[in-house]
Amino acid sequence: MLADDATEFSKEFYRDLDPSSSFRPEGYLDRTLEARVSANGRYAFSDSGPEDIAGQLERSGTRAVSDQARNTLIHNTELEGGKWYRIASATACGFCRLLATRGPVYKSAHAACASHDNCQCKVDVVRPGMTHTPPAHMRGWDTDYRKYRREVIDLGQKASLDNIVNAWNRGIRAELRSLGVDDSHLNVA
């Protein structure tokens, strides 16, 4: 099963971050995986499900495997007492960019791996004694956050995370379209 492969890959990745450590990562047993995949399958084949059944199943399956890899990293980070951070793709949506700007602060499994279909984000680990350097494509996102927060306020809207993320998504879509890049992966309104 692909989830088993994702678990083993994540354990090896965690080990390789600090090969000299005596800590030995362990697998994470996601007791919700089967139920989530089944529920997605039932939805895909229901009367209210999407027209693109195969695409829906592929996206939800990919999400389940990615979640298993993320959860294994998170589990071992909790066991060892490290922290983790989100690495969003260069074309990530505003929600993912917002989470990624926080750096290695996540202590909640839910916060570190919150995802959506087509999410390209990864979770990276800062083991005890390590430092965090965000990827180059994430530089400037703190400035973008402040820009879109100011935009929301200037429009007379409440500076809620939903409003800021929506403004950021509009900005990302406009930027991608101006570059001729498909923006359908954003999976946002």
Side-chain angles (χ1 to χ4, degrees):
M1 181 173 179
L2 290 174
D4 294 336
D5 293 339
T7 298
E8 289 306 311
F9 175 80
S10 292
K11 284 171 43 181
E12 183 177 331
F13 173 81
Y14 195 88
R15 232 183 342 266
D16 289 348
L17 287 172
D18 186 3
S20 64
S21 173
S22 61
F23 179 81
R24 293 293 164 236
E26 56 183 56
Y28 173 78
L29 178 60
D30 183 350
R31 298 185 192 283
T32 69
L33 183 64
E34 186 175 336
R36 287 187 296 127
V37 171
S38 294
N40 284 325
R42 284 190 302 276
Y43 168 72
F45 287 102
S46 72
D47 290 339
S48 61
E51 290 183 24
D52 179 19
I53 294 172
Q56 173 69 27
L57 293 174
E58 180 181 346
R59 288 186 299 274
S60 64
T62 299
R63 178 179 175 182
V65 171
S66 295
D67 284 349
Q68 179 62 31
R70 288 182 196 107
N71 287 335
T72 298
L73 288 174
I74 290 166
H75 174 70
N76 285 290
T77 301
E78 288 173 345
L79 287 175
E80 191 180 27
K83 295 181 181 178
W84 49 89
Y85 63 97
R86 184 184 197 92
I87 300 176
S89 74
T91 57
C93 67
F95 171 74
C96 294
R97 289 180 186 204
L98 176 70
L99 294 179
T101 62
R102 298 199 59 220
V105 299
Y106 293 104
K107 294 181 182 178
S108 158
H110 173 73
C113 72
S115 64
H116 53 81
D117 287 351
N118 298 324
C119 185
Q120 302 284 320
C121 293
K122 296 173 179 47
V123 173
D124 210 346
V125 176
V126 177
R127 292 180 70 176
M130 292 176 66
T131 58
H132 162 68
T133 304
H137 70 268
M138 289 173 43
R139 291 189 194 119
W141 286 358
D142 287 325
T143 302
D144 289 346
Y145 168 79
R146 288 190 296 278
K147 169 185 159 186
Y148 291 113
R149 183 178 187 281
R150 172 57 35 207
E151 179 181 300
V152 165
I153 292 169
D154 289 348
L155 290 171
Q157 299 173 349
K158 181 179 176 185
S160 69
L161 290 181
D162 282 345
N163 288 340
I164 295 167
V165 166
N166 287 334
W168 205 339
N169 284 335
R170 286 189 299 273
I172 293 167
R173 284 191 186 284
E175 180 183 336
L176 291 174
R177 287 179 183 149
S178 75
L179 297 171
V181 177
D182 176 34
D183 64 359
S184 61
H185 73 282
L186 289 177
N187 201 28
V188 294

